[in-house]
Amino acid sequence: MSERMRRPGRRPTAALIAAVSLASMLAGISGAAEDPALDAARTALAAGQPVEALAVLRGVKPRGPSARLIEARAQLALGRTREAIELLGSIDGAGIPDAVARWDAGSRGEASQVGAEALLAAGGNMPSALHLLAQALELGGRGVEPDRCLALDCQCLLRSGERDQAVRAARRLWQGWPRSAYRVKGGLVLAHAIATSEPTAAREILAAIRVDAAISASDRRDAGELLCRILLVEHPGQCLVVAEQELGHLAATERGALPLYRALALARLEPRTGAQALRTLPADLAADPTVQPALRDAEANGAASVAMVCERARASIALGRADEARALLEPLAADQPEALAALCSVPGLDCQRFVGFPAARSPIAALALTRALAGAGKLPAAWAVLLPLLPASAAPSAREAASDEADGATAEVLYWASVCAPEQERREGYRRRLLASKATGLEAGLAWCAEAEARTRDGGDAVEAWSRAAALLPAEHPWQAEAAWRAARELAARGDDPGARALLDGPASWRADDEVNCRCRFLLAQVLARSGARDEAMRAADSLTGRGDAARQARVEAFLASLRDTP
């Protein structure tokens, strides 16, 4: 260890970051044997049951280093900082670094992490805590949690005012530990840091945080507030959706500034309703400097613009209030293309009756009508609406070569033509024209899905098509994970484990816990195991415990058992 690492008064940034890679290989589920009682205590502690962990430890005699460290961690979890410090061998917080230095080499990594946590709990000095965290990461060993150490490191740096270094640690935690329970902490720090300079990236991070099933109420509120702040100016409807969704999840005492963001969004979308919401805010929120200017604007504006009415309606749809959206849009839909387009997305409407509206001649409304009619299975009607949007030269046969520019037709028009055209040859021609256009985005991803299915039916190689679909579809699209799984399954069968892992080790496996995501995660675990990443494979497979039917559970247990038996 370098002199810089040894001196607690210096910031070991380079050594800390370099140590994470080593620690990630050493930490986690280990194959080393340990007293079953200690294993049970560790399991209880990992499950958030420190009292149960202490109960198990009472039967462990004699108390070796591992038992003392597990007990110290349990005491910290219960808020008993003094007891934890004494278990480390120190009288008070100031003596923790010296006490940790006396632990044997095999236990010093975990002792360093526990020592850093005890220092933080006791309000000790940050340089010593940073030194111990760096030491824990460098030494590794059983009981060291490198992702938790990074989260604590980020916390220490923020407390010390070293914002730039805290952001670097947060970014490493967010990007390098997609399965960590502490990833949310890093994501929140990173999103706050880039909210102004990189709002789109911050929104993606916050969207991923909000779907985390294990997120705490405080983290949920923090993510919701920041997302509302980013969305409010340019996307008040989306801001309203986030605010109302989070208010529905949180208790009245946990809502923070979310009622303020809801009122500010309403003031943009529905000035009269928003003004009333602003007037009835609690006193602490009403004192916010944004309230009075927003209230004056809402009172002066009176009626909302067509664009704001449409955005308010889309928010109502997202919140499951279809009748509310319909009431907002129907008075405008005959003559306002944007209102007609929004109306076509209201669930449960027969959109064919809107075809004769004057607004339906606008491309934005015609495309919306096409989507709605095709989604309802009314392909001839959808084709009739779409046809005027297609240039004559954009209707090639399957044998014609497609130009890169798709003859001026947009990707969306070509995609729906490939779905709605009356003859199969024409549908295939439109799809090939779209694929050759090198378009990106949702429609291109859907077209590659259709191409993959066509190649599969014809007995061809569909791996490239599924791979392209997985890369182009948005992470939240229900077909993205399915496309990734289909491509990765074939790549893995061919022995291309790196290619399979590239498709799976991301949103396809970790965005949710539904059937397809779990299928992706199990395939990822198998690929990781074959690649020699045993600990990562065990973490991935262990995350599937308790998910799925009995057959899957049996496969997961058998897979985990095979990994445990592997030297």
Side-chain angles (χ1 to χ4, degrees):
M1 183 164 37
S2 68
E3 180 61 22
R4 188 181 185 192
M5 284 283 292
R6 294 179 191 278
R7 294 176 61 190
R10 300 292 298 276
R11 170 66 185 134
T13 306
L16 173 65
I17 293 175
V20 174
S21 298
L22 174 63
S24 65
M25 293 187 288
L26 297 175
I29 301 172
S30 171
E34 190 172 44
D35 185 326
L38 297 182
D39 275 336
R42 286 189 189 278
T43 300
L45 198 56
Q49 300 170 332
V51 174
E52 289 79 356
L54 291 174
V56 172
L57 289 172
R58 291 191 192 102
V60 177
K61 303 293 182 183
R63 290 293 181 89
S66 291
R68 288 168 55 203
L69 287 170
I70 297 170
E71 183 177 354
R73 294 172 70 173
Q75 298 289 9
L76 281 174
L78 292 169
R80 300 169 183 166
T81 306
R82 182 179 59 80
E83 290 85 341
I85 291 172
E86 290 175 354
L87 285 162
L88 287 168
S90 176
I91 298 173
D92 56 30
I96 288 176
D98 292 334
V100 168
R102 294 193 293 270
W103 283 74
D104 65 88
S107 304
R108 197 173 301 141
E110 184 175 7
S112 297
Q113 177 179 330
V114 178
E117 296 198 47
L119 267 174
L120 292 174
N125 70 64
M126 293 300 107
S128 291
L130 290 166
H131 163 72
L132 288 173
L133 289 169
Q135 185 168 270
L137 286 164
E138 183 179 31
L139 295 173
R142 185 161 192 146
V144 173
E145 304 163 284
D147 51 341
R148 181 168 174 80
C149 287
L150 273 176
L152 292 169
D153 183 61
C154 189
Q155 176 185 342
C156 289
L157 289 165
L158 287 174
R159 287 191 190 180
S160 302
E162 298 185 54
R163 179 182 175 276
D164 291 344
Q165 295 188 59
V167 171
R168 281 196 286 272
R171 190 183 298 275
R172 190 170 186 86
L173 178 57
W174 178 255
Q175 295 177 345
W177 293 86
R179 297 170 286 283
S180 171
Y182 305 106
R183 186 182 187 229
V184 165
K185 299 294 186 184
L188 285 171
V189 171
L190 182 57
H192 275 284
I194 66 174
T196 301
S197 60
E198 302 175 62
T200 300
R203 287 172 59 182
E204 290 173 355
I205 292 171
L206 294 167
I209 288 173
R210 292 179 67 226
V211 300
D212 189 320
I215 191 172
S216 68
S218 61
D219 287 342
R220 183 172 203 111
R221 181 188 63 242
D222 192 5
E225 288 178 347
L226 179 56
L227 189 53
C228 283
R229 178 161 64 83
I230 294 171
L231 293 170
L232 178 61
V233 175
E234 295 186 3
H235 306 284
Q238 294 178 38
C239 174
L240 178 65
V241 171
V242 172
E244 295 212 1
Q245 286 175 339
E246 298 310 321
L247 287 169
H249 282 290
L250 298 168
T253 56
E254 300 170 333
R255 293 178 174 179
L258 288 168
L260 169 63
Y261 285 113
R262 176 184 178 275
L264 291 171
L266 279 171
R268 298 275 312 283
L269 297 163
E270 289 184 88
R272 294 188 183 90
T273 305
Q276 180 60 26
L278 289 167
R279 292 189 200 100
T280 57
L281 284 171
D284 58 329
L285 296 180
D288 189 276
T290 61
V291 170
Q292 289 305 313
L295 182 57
R296 286 193 296 271
D297 288 345
E299 290 173 339
N301 289 335
S305 67
V306 172
M308 288 295 102
V309 172
C310 292
E311 186 156 352
R312 177 70 176 94
R314 285 190 286 269
S316 297
I317 294 169
L319 292 167
R321 303 168 189 164
D323 290 343
E324 183 177 271
R326 182 175 176 178
L328 287 165
L329 295 168
E330 283 190 334
L332 303 171
D335 301 309
Q336 299 291 335
E338 188 178 357
L340 178 54
L343 184 62
C344 288
S345 64
V346 176
L349 293 187
D350 177 9
C351 293
Q352 193 159 356
R353 63 190 179 91
F354 305 143
V355 171
F357 283 8
R361 292 191 290 271
S362 165
I364 184 177
L367 270 172
L369 275 168
T370 299
R371 287 193 298 268
L373 292 169
K378 299 178 179 181
L379 295 182
W383 175 246
V385 173
L386 181 68
L387 195 55
L389 302 183
L390 281 162
S393 60
S397 72
R399 294 182 297 274
E400 290 179 312
S403 72
D404 284 351
E405 297 304 319
D407 293 325
T410 67
E412 190 172 7
V413 169
L414 287 173
Y415 172 72
W416 285 108
S418 75
V419 172
C420 302
E423 299 90 11
Q424 181 178 347
E425 186 177 27
R426 296 181 77 183
R427 292 195 295 271
E428 291 176 355
Y430 286 121
R431 186 175 73 243
R432 293 185 184 185
R433 177 82 35 131
L434 173 55
L435 298 181
S437 73
K438 299 181 177 62
T440 59
L442 173 62
E443 287 76 23
L446 294 173
W448 279 110
C449 282
E451 177 69 12
E453 290 176 331
R455 292 182 186 182
T456 301
R457 283 194 307 270
D458 296 340
D461 186 349
V463 172
E464 179 194 8
W466 285 124
S467 297
R468 290 199 180 198
L472 290 170
L473 290 172
E476 65 274 10
H477 195 280
W479 292 2
Q480 194 273 338
E482 181 72 24
W485 180 77
R486 291 186 182 225
R489 179 181 57 173
E490 182 59 35
L491 289 173
R494 298 175 184 180
D496 184 2
D497 285 338
R501 180 173 179 176
L503 285 162
L504 296 170
D505 201 0
S509 293
W510 301 104
R511 184 169 179 84
D513 286 324
D514 61 18
E515 172 63 26
V516 180
N517 290 115
C518 287
R519 211 188 316 150
C520 287
R521 203 178 312 164
F522 190 45
L523 179 57
L524 173 63
Q526 294 169 295
V527 168
L528 289 168
R530 284 199 301 270
S531 303
R534 178 179 172 277
D535 289 350
E536 289 185 72
M538 290 194 76
R539 290 191 195 102
D542 190 58
S543 72
L544 295 169
T545 302
R547 306 187 190 282
D549 58 20
R552 172 185 287 157
Q553 288 307 299
R555 291 195 299 272
V556 170
E557 287 301 323
F559 177 76
L560 285 168
S562 70
L563 288 179
R564 294 188 191 102
D565 293 339
T566 302

